[in-house]
Amino acid sequence: MTTRRLQRLVLTGSVTGAVIVALDGTVLTVAQPALQRDLHASFGQVQWTSTGYLIAVASLLVFAGRLGDRYGHQQLFALGILGFGATSAAIGLAPGVGWVIALRVAQGIFGALLQPATLGMLRATYPPDRLGMPLALRTSAIGLAAAAGPVLGGALVAHWGWRAVFFLNVVPACLIGGLALVVRRAALAPAPIHPSASASSFAPGEASAGGVGPTAAGTTTTGGARPAGGLDLPGACLLALALVSLVHTLVALPESGWTVVTALGGAVAAFACGAFIRHERRTASPLVPLSVVGSATIASALAVLLSASAALFGTLFVSTYFLQDVLALGPLESGLRVLPLAVLMVLSAPASAVLQRRYGPRRTTVTAMTLLTLGVLVLSQLDRNSTAPAIGAGFLLLGAGFGTVMVTATAVIVRHVSTAHAGVAGGLQQTAMNIGPTLGVATATMLVTLTAPATTGDHSPGAPHWTAEAFLSAMGPTLLTLTAVAATGALAAIKFPRSTADDDARQPPVMGGSVRDESEVTAMTSDG
């Protein structure tokens, strides 16, 4: 298989896997009311079909990335996407809401295996200076899925019921999963080895971090897999406990406020986080290597993604209530008002790859975060008399800023680490992209609840907790706070490299100098 063909197949798998996950989340939102009626579920049970999935994903992303670094990203990708498709089919056949919740948790586990691998495969297959466009295409596809999801989900639910949205992913997941297995076998087929390659650095049939060529650390192991002790299972458990407690607290806060349960969840999250940091500093084989967690550039990129996603999704949450409850628009009309955001996300992603090469990650990301901040600020000034162009302008700025930030910040993270740690870096990136929206929605809900005048409206489960007038009075301060959140991301982006050349120079050296360059890895698989 030639190098170019391998790159195309890996890019196809990475984009399709990311789209399947993005599409699953957006179509589910549309299907939940019908699911609730058909299965006679409570509002809380329906919420857990999303919360259970989110908790499972967020708690395992980094550990799944570590597994991919050690045993091959293509192998983890194939397992994740096939399991994702299988659980989707099982949910479509579920007899009750309890089964749906349990299977959604299982689907979250497979989603955690899948998501870091989509980035790890790209990092291991493409040279660092050619990563920009593949990441841009991946981001554009996610934006397109986010835009098409509600429309497609609504059509499926209207014609075939809520179960149809879960069958949607089954066929593409099985096809791409099978393709990943075939590509991996082809890549691992014995190939001529350059005479300068020592037998100790490469053994035919071993998977690298990307699933091809030599192992990620440049060393071989007997019997295939490395010792389980290198996976840092105690660290993985502590991190999972911290993230589970944090996500559960953020999800529960908007509905119940600060109670004994939410306060205890926050305390457990803080304690587990502290224990995790202490453990990682002392263990010989940390889950998150020091070269990754100690990098100011990677920390800044994660802060940018966290603040950008929190500001965007918090703003979308508030804007949805504004469009439907204040302006009294229907779901379709509201979707059309928000459509500029998705369009600009799709268009800005490939453009950002070009801008990043020309102007560097720092200037491009600071400008993009500024656009995102201005978008939230524009939307904070809306009222009952706001016109469609004014609303569209705010969403245009949001889409242009967020689409660019997704590509540039992700590229900085993936380019800054060696192939040996690409999975962990991808897991951290995906964790930030899962925690950020949860944090943004929780912040927006609490701020609206605290600043809206007291009302005596309908407080039944699932109903708005405020009247249109009360909400409008609280919307401005809430979105101004989210503007400040977005502005912190612009400040964090100042730590980014000035140019892509600086980014490449900052990549940490691999211990022992035994890791081969990606061009050597792919050369071993070309024409093999």
Side-chain angles (χ1 to χ4, degrees):
M1 181 181 296
T2 64
T3 301
R4 190 178 297 276
R5 181 177 298 176
L6 176 63
Q7 289 177 341
R8 286 200 205 102
L9 290 174
V10 168
L11 178 59
T12 300
S14 175
V15 169
T16 306
V19 166
I20 285 175
V21 173
L23 198 60
D24 178 82
T26 54
V27 297
L28 175 63
T29 304
V30 179
Q32 281 178 329
L35 182 152
Q36 181 178 6
R37 292 191 298 269
D38 186 45
L39 298 181
H40 307 289
S42 67
F43 182 71
Q45 288 174 319
V46 173
Q47 282 184 315
W48 268 101
T49 63
S50 297
T51 303
Y53 175 89
L54 177 61
I55 288 176
V57 167
S59 63
L60 295 174
L61 282 168
V62 177
F63 184 61
R66 181 67 167 171
L67 287 174
D69 286 337
R70 292 186 62 82
Y71 303 120
H73 294 299
Q74 286 187 2
Q75 186 171 339
L76 266 290
F77 174 82
L79 176 61
I81 198 166
L82 289 173
F84 198 93
T87 50
S88 291
I91 294 171
L93 300 172
V97 69
W99 280 99
V100 173
I101 294 171
L103 288 167
R104 282 286 290 171
V105 172
Q107 191 178 43
I109 294 172
F110 288 112
L113 296 177
L114 164 64
Q115 292 182 55
T118 63
L119 291 174
M121 291 191 304
L122 292 178
R123 176 64 179 90
T125 306
Y126 285 85
D129 59 348
R130 293 182 57 198
L131 270 173
M133 192 53 69
L135 291 174
L137 292 174
R138 179 179 177 275
T139 302
S140 290
I142 292 173
L144 188 60
V151 178
L152 183 58
L156 289 173
V157 172
H159 288 86
W160 293 289
W162 66 269
R163 297 179 188 273
V165 304
F166 290 103
F167 292 123
L168 176 66
N169 289 326
V170 176
V171 173
C174 291
L175 289 176
I176 295 298
L179 178 63
L181 292 175
V182 171
V183 170
R184 181 173 181 273
R185 290 193 187 98
L188 293 178
I193 302 177
H194 194 277
S196 63
S198 65
S200 62
S201 64
F202 175 64
E206 287 191 343
S208 73
V212 294
T215 57
T219 59
T220 63
T221 59
T222 59
R226 297 186 179 188
L231 294 176
D232 187 18
L233 295 179
C237 292
L238 287 171
L239 181 60
L241 177 61
L243 291 173
V244 166
S245 302
L246 176 61
V247 171
H248 185 271
T249 301
L250 290 176
V251 171
L253 268 176
E255 187 66 26
S256 59
W258 283 107
T259 63
V260 175
V261 175
T262 53
L264 182 61
V268 171
F271 173 79
C273 182
F276 172 74
I277 294 172
R278 178 183 175 87
H279 170 79
E280 293 296 284
R281 287 177 175 175
R282 297 188 173 192
T283 185
S285 181
L287 175 67
V288 183
L290 183 61
S291 61
V292 177
V293 73
S295 168
T297 301
I298 294 179
S300 299
L302 292 173
V304 167
L305 289 173
L306 189 70
S307 60
S309 58
L312 175 71
F313 283 88
T315 301
L316 283 176
F317 175 81
V318 174
S319 300
T320 300
Y321 275 97
F322 169 76
L323 294 173
Q324 296 190 20
D325 291 351
V326 177
L327 298 186
L329 300 178
L332 179 59
E333 291 177 294
S334 299
L336 291 175
R337 297 292 175 92
V338 180
L339 190 59
L341 185 150
V343 172
L344 261 292
M345 272 190 65
V346 174
L347 296 178
S348 64
S352 65
V354 178
L355 293 172
Q356 187 173 206
R357 284 197 300 269
R358 182 168 183 177
Y359 299 106
R362 180 187 300 178
R363 193 181 303 178
T364 303
T365 310
V366 169
T367 302
M369 285 302 302
T370 302
L371 291 176
L372 179 61
T373 303
L374 289 175
V376 182
L377 185 61
V378 167
L379 294 176
S380 71
Q381 304 304 308
L382 299 180
D383 55 30
R384 287 185 178 274
N385 299 318
S386 297
T387 61
I391 297 171
F395 287 117
L396 279 173
L397 291 170
L398 285 181
F402 189 73
T404 303
V405 167
M406 276 277 290
V407 175
T408 55
T410 300
V412 166
I413 293 172
V414 176
R415 287 166 57 93
H416 193 76
V417 299
S418 66
T419 308
H421 301 144
V424 170
L428 290 171
Q429 187 266 357
Q430 294 289 338
T431 300
M433 293 302 299
N434 277 272
I435 298 296
T438 310
L439 177 62
V441 172
T443 301
T445 306
M446 285 189 294
L447 287 173
V448 171
T449 303
L450 291 173
T451 56
T455 63
T456 58
D458 183 8
H459 287 258
S460 60
H465 296 276
W466 41 74
T467 64
E469 291 298 333
F471 176 82
L472 190 59
S473 67
M475 186 180 80
T478 299
L479 290 183
L480 287 176
T481 302
L482 292 174
T483 301
V485 171
T488 61
L491 295 176
I494 295 175
K495 292 286 187 180
F496 280 19
R498 289 182 179 272
S499 66
T500 53
D502 294 339
D503 199 9
D504 292 337
R506 289 189 184 191
Q507 289 189 40
V510 180
M511 297 300 294
S514 56
V515 170
R516 300 176 187 273
D517 183 77
E518 280 75 20
S519 59
E520 295 181 45
V521 174
T522 53
M524 291 183 180
T525 64
S526 64
D527 298 322

